[in-house]
Each structure stands twice: as structure tokens, then as C-alpha cells.
Amino acid sequence: RLKGRKITAIAAPAPRAYVPPSLRGRIGGGSLAVQMRKERATTGPVRVGTGQQGGKNNEKNRKKRERRRRKAAEGHSAASANSNANSTTKQSSKPKPKLPPPKPEVKTPPVEEKKVEPEITEAERVAKKIKALRKKLRQIAKIEDKDIASLNDAQLTKLKSKSSVEKDLAEFEAKLAAM
């Protein structure tokens, strides 16, 4: 109901990059990275865990560090006092033994072990050949079941070799039977 009122178009604001609700309305705007750089420049690097109580391990580690510092300080002051008083006796009481120079290592070439293959008897060799020939015959039988028009060159040559495979198989079976 806007009788008699003049309608003015309100221009929509230009779309902006997403800003999380926690960062909206901050002075300086910009991206989060820009804001973090500004904070770091004013406050310096932030150390996590400073001023916190921490757990049991934190306390134990703090005590260890303190003990090491005290021990190092005591050892340093005692060592400096002893070194001034006993500078000549230290050198004469503990002479350092001189070690002979290290001998250069002579590398010998590794000895190659020859694999000793068990001797294959003639009967085993013939049995292997028979097994291979039977496998070829099975493959040829599968090829024969397919349509001849769909076969490739390798399959066609295998089909042509069927008679020679059968002949070789018969020879080797006779040879095995004679052994």
C-alpha cells in the first residue's frame, strides 16, 4: 500500500567475498590473512601455551630443564675453577693415547654363487614336453569352436599347426613309454 508515495529504486550492494560472522564489522576489512598480518605486526609472534598451567608432563619437563640449567651452571663454574688451579696437572695426569691411523678398507668383489639347478632327467623333460603339447591341443580345440570369420592371424596359424602338434605328441608319448 503505497498510495501517493514515490517509489525510489534502492541499488543493491555489489557482491563481496564471503566474510565469516566473527570477522564482520571489523575495522580494516580485507581478508583474514591481511587482518592476521596486521595483528602480528602490532603484537609480535604468538607463542602457544605461554602462561598456561599445562599438564603433568609439562611440569615434569619444566623441572628437567631447570635441573639441566643448574647442573650446567655448577659444572661450568667448577670446571673453570679447577682449570685455573690444576692446568699443568691435568695435562700430565691423563695423557691421550695416540691411535694408529685407520687402515684403508680393501673391498673384495662379492663372490657370485651359482644357482645349482637340479638335474632334470630325460623322462622329466619328455613329460614336460607332452604337457605343453596337450595344452596347445586344448587351445586349438577352443579356437575350433569359434566362428572362423572372427579369428585373427595367430589363431589361424595355430589351427593349421594342429596336425604337427598331434604328430609330435604321439612321438613323445611313445618315447616316454619306451623309457
Side-chain angles (χ1 to χ4, degrees):
R1 301 184 160 234
L2 299 171
K3 289 184 181 179
R5 293 189 185 169
K6 194 175 187 181
I7 299 174
T8 56
I10 300 173
R16 295 180 48 185
Y18 175 76
V19 179
S22 62
L23 298 177
R24 291 178 190 161
R26 282 195 172 194
I27 299 171
S31 68
L32 178 61
V34 170
Q35 291 176 4
M36 290 182 75
R37 280 190 211 109
K38 285 180 184 176
E39 283 181 23
R40 192 175 293 137
T42 58
T43 61
V46 178
R47 296 189 86 192
V48 177
T50 54
Q52 296 178 354
Q53 290 296 325
K56 182 172 72 172
N57 289 337
N58 192 11
E59 183 67 21
K60 285 168 68 176
N61 290 335
R62 185 183 58 79
K63 287 180 180 178
K64 275 185 187 179
R65 285 191 300 270
E66 288 176 5
R67 269 187 259 129
R68 283 189 204 134
R69 285 184 197 129
R70 272 190 258 125
K71 199 172 191 179
E74 289 172 5
H76 179 65
S77 62
S80 63
N82 285 340
S83 66
N84 292 337
N86 300 327
S87 62
T88 57
T89 57
K90 252 188 181 180
Q91 292 174 357
S92 61
S93 64
K94 291 185 179 180
K96 291 185 179 180
K98 292 185 179 181
L99 299 174
K103 295 179 181 178
E105 289 185 29
V106 178
K107 292 188 177 183
T108 57
V111 178
E112 294 183 25
E113 293 183 20
K114 294 180 180 178
K115 291 184 179 180
V116 179
E117 295 183 17
E119 290 291 323
I120 300 174
T121 63
E122 186 65 28
E124 290 173 340
R125 198 171 292 131
V126 171
K128 274 187 173 183
K129 189 68 176 172
I130 291 172
K131 186 177 177 183
L133 291 171
R134 286 185 179 153
K135 183 178 179 181
K136 280 187 181 181
L137 282 176
R138 282 194 305 272
Q139 291 171 346
I140 291 171
K142 284 183 183 178
I143 293 171
E144 287 175 337
D145 293 341
K146 295 181 181 179
D147 184 28
I148 294 177
S150 65
L151 300 179
N152 62 24
D153 293 335
Q155 291 171 328
L156 290 172
T157 55
K158 200 173 253 189
L159 273 176
K160 291 176 185 175
S161 67
K162 181 179 179 179
S163 61
S164 65
V165 171
E166 287 174 338
K167 182 179 144 188
D168 291 341
L169 181 61
E171 286 177 15
F172 281 107
E173 285 177 340
K175 199 174 192 179
L176 185 63
M179 290 182 174

